[in-house]
Amino acid sequence: MNEGRTDDTTAPVPARFRLLLIGLLLGVLLGALDGTMVAVALPTIVGDLGGIEDTHWVITAYLLTATASTLLYGRVSDLLGRKPVFLAAIVIFLAGSALCAAAQGMGTLAAARALQGLGGGGLLTLALAVIADVVPPRQRARFQGLFGAVFGLASVLGPVIGGPVVDHASWRWLFLLNLPIGAVVLAIVATQLPLPVSRREHRLDLRGAFLLAAAVGCFLCWMTRGNEVGWSDPRSWLLGVGAAVLAPAFVLSQRSAPEPVLPLGLFRNPTFALTGAVAFCVGAAMFAAILFIPLVLQLVQDRSATSSGLMLAAMTTGLLVSSVGVGRAVSRTGRHKAPPVVGTVLITVAMLGLTRLDVDTSAGYTIAMLTVLGLGIGFVSPVLVAVAQSSVDARDLGIATASVSFFRNLGGTVGSAVGVAVLTHRLSDGFWFASAPLQTGQVSTLPDQVQALPASAQEAYGTYLADAATGVFWIAAAVGAIAVVLAALTPALTLNQIPAESDQPESGDQYEPPPNSRAAAPTSPAS
C-alpha cells in the first residue's frame, strides 16, 4: 500500500452513525440466522414437501450462490458505489426469502434458496466494506469484532428461534420473518448511508464474472457430490474437470480485463496474499470442527442434541468475548500482528485437544477445548478483514473485504468435504455398518441409523467414530499449524495509515464524512 496521511485518533464515531451501525449489524444477523434456523427446520420441511433426495440442495444451493457472488459484490461495489449494490443485495435476499416461504416443492425451495444466497453473499461483505468507508482504519477492527460477535450469537439464536417457530407455527415463518427485519435494514441503509454514486463510465468484467461463478459452482458441486455419490462417479469427475478448466480460464481473463473482478496485482502484495491464505486455513479448520464435533458429542459420548448444543455454546462464548475484546485492543494500539498469530495458535491447540475426544472424555474437558477454539477464532476473524483493507488502495476496499470472506468460505467448503471423506473412509475400513460397509455420503443420516442398531453395535460404532473423528481433528490441527506460520509471516502494517489524496480516484459529488473518518474523501469507485 502507498504511504499516505495518517489518522491515529480513536475518537468514537458520532452518534448519527450509530443507527447505520445497527442497520448493518441487523443485516449481518439476518444472513447468519438464516442458515442456522433452516438447518433446524430441514426434517419438518422434508416431511411437508417430500423430495428427501434433494434435501442437501436446500443448504448447498444457498452456499453455492453466496460464495460465488462474494467477490462480485466486492468488485462491483468498488466500481458502482457501496450503497446501490448493498440495497440491491438486500432486495434480492428478501425476494428469495418470500419465494422460499411460498415454495410448494423441494426443487422450488432449492431454487429460491439459490436466489436468497445470491443476495446473502453481499450482506456481510458489503457491511464490512461500508465500515471501512466511514470508520478510521485504526477503529475498523473494533467494529468488525462486533460483526464476528453477531455471527457467534446467530449460531446460538438460530436453534433457539427456529425450533419453537417450527414446532408452534410453520417452517415458512422462518423465511417470512426475514421480511420485516429486512425492510428495517433496507430503510436504514437507504437513509443513513450517504455514500455517493459514481458518475464515471465503467466496463464491468462480465466474462470474468461468468467464469468465476462457473468455476466456483463446479468446484463446490464437485466437493459436495464427491462425498454423496463417490469421487469415482463420472458426474463427480465431470464437475472436477470443469472446475480445473474454468479456474485457469478465469485467471487468464483477469490478465486482460480492463477492470477485472479480482485484480491479480493484489496478490503481489504479500500482506493481502497471506491474509487470504490465513483466512482459507482458518475456515478449513473451523468448519471441519463445527461439522464433526456434534457427531462426536451425540454418537460417541451419547449426549442429547440439547446437551451438545449447550456445550457448543462454549465455543460461541469464547468467540464473542475475544472478537469484541481484540477489536477494541487493536483500535487502541493500531497493532495487528499478534492477534492472528495468537488466534491460530489457540485454534491449533484446541484441535490437538479435540483429538482426545472419546467415549470417556469429561464434559469439562470438552467445554474447555471448545472455549479455546472459540477464543482463537475471535482473535483472528476481525483483524484479518482490517489488515486486508489497510493493505490496499481505497479503490480496492470492496474486493479486499470480499476476498477474506471468499477464501474463508472456500476453505470451509474444502475442510468440510475433506473431513467427510476422511471420516467415511476410516469408518468404511473399520466398521461394517448394518451388515454392509458404510458407504460414502451416509454421514448426514448416521444418527437415525445408529440408534436403530443393537446396543453392542452402537458401542462398537461409537468407538470407530471416535477414532475416525480423531483423524479429522489431526488434519485440522495441521492446517491450523500452517495458519500459524502464515500469520507470523504476514507483514505488519500501521492501521492508521490511509491512502494519500493522490491515490484517490476522482469523482463527482462527495459526501461529508463523519469526523475522523476513514472516508475523508470517499470516492465513487471506492464507495
Side-chain angles (χ1 to χ4, degrees), residues 10 138 329-337 493-496:
T10 56
R138 187 150 158 179
V330 172
S331 294
R332 287 196 303 269
T333 65
R335 298 176 181 176
H336 71 85
K337 181 75 175 180
L493 294 177
T494 303
L495 293 188
N496 56 12

Side-chain angles (χ1 to χ4, degrees), residues 298-455:
Q298 294 181 45
L299 299 180
V300 175
Q301 299 183 0
D302 196 26
R303 302 184 187 278
S304 66
T306 300
S307 175
S308 62
L310 290 174
M311 294 178 72
L312 284 170
M315 182 176 71
T316 301
T317 302
L319 191 156
L320 288 169
V321 171
S322 59
S323 60
V324 174
V326 168
R328 290 183 174 275
V330 172
S331 294
R332 287 196 303 269
T333 65
R335 298 176 181 176
H336 71 85
K337 181 75 175 180
V341 176
V342 173
T344 50
V345 168
L346 290 175
I347 291 172
T348 305
V349 169
M351 291 301 174
L352 290 173
L354 290 172
T355 62
R356 297 183 57 189
L357 292 185
D358 57 26
V359 177
D360 301 319
T361 304
S362 68
Y365 177 85
T366 305
I367 290 173
M369 290 300 101
L370 292 175
T371 302
V372 172
L373 178 61
L375 289 171
I377 296 170
F379 264 87
V380 177
S381 296
V383 181
L384 287 182
V385 176
V387 172
Q389 290 171 339
S390 293
S391 71
V392 301
D393 291 332
R395 61 179 174 270
D396 292 321
L397 266 177
I399 190 61
T401 305
S403 295
V404 175
S405 297
F406 175 78
F407 287 119
R408 183 180 59 241
N409 292 340
L410 199 62
T413 302
V414 173
S416 300
V418 170
V420 170
V422 169
L423 192 73
T424 53
H425 176 73
R426 296 186 68 164
L427 283 172
S428 297
D429 288 344
F431 183 71
W432 285 72
F433 179 68
S435 301
L438 179 68
Q439 298 299 314
T440 301
Q442 286 184 321
V443 170
S444 62
T445 60
L446 283 179
D448 291 339
Q449 296 181 21
V450 172
Q451 291 170 6
L453 293 174

Side-chain angles (χ1 to χ4, degrees), residues 24 27-28 30-31 62 65-66 69-70 72-74 76-77 80-98 112-128 130 178-179 182-183 185-186 189-190 193:
L24 297 177
V28 172
L30 198 65
Y62 185 97
T65 54
S69 64
T70 299
L72 302 181
Y73 275 115
V76 172
S77 70
L80 301 182
R82 217 78 71 204
K83 183 173 182 176
V85 180
F86 199 177
L87 292 174
I90 298 171
V91 170
I92 293 172
F93 180 83
L94 295 181
S97 298
R113 286 282 287 168
L115 179 63
Q116 195 184 30
L118 189 62
L123 293 181
L124 175 62
T125 295
L126 296 175
L128 292 175
V130 166
N178 291 336
L179 302 183
V185 176
L186 195 65
V189 172
L193 184 57

